[in-house]
Amino acid sequence: MWAVAVLLAPALAERGEARQSVEAIAERTGLTPARVHDSLRFLLRRRCIRPVAADGGAPVYAVDRS
């Protein structure tokens, strides 16, 4: 989960959103796509991020400010 959060953090801080596919995150972190998916679900459940859209198949996540 930390590897995924660290990868998304700069884009979330700079632009307020991150546009990365599970496969792209897996490639950059060295995790399996299944593990990346689990990590994203964890971040979503804990209300750290929220889905806002999908951009050509890549989900777009934003900081959950609620």
Side-chain angles (χ1 to χ4, degrees), residues 30-60:
L31 298 171
T32 65
R35 185 66 183 133
V36 170
H37 183 63
D38 289 344
S39 297
L40 289 169
R41 280 193 4 227
F42 177 87
L43 292 168
L44 288 164
R45 270 193 317 245
R46 299 290 186 249
R47 300 177 65 109
C48 301
I49 60 173
R50 64 184 170 83
V52 292
D55 182 22
V60 179

Side-chain angles (χ1 to χ4, degrees), residues 1 3-5 10 20 22 28-29 33 35 43 45-46 53 57 65:
M1 188 274 310
V4 173
Q20 299 258 345
V22 170
R28 293 184 66 194
T29 60
R35 185 66 183 133
L43 292 168
R45 270 193 317 245
R46 299 290 186 249
R65 300 184 192 276

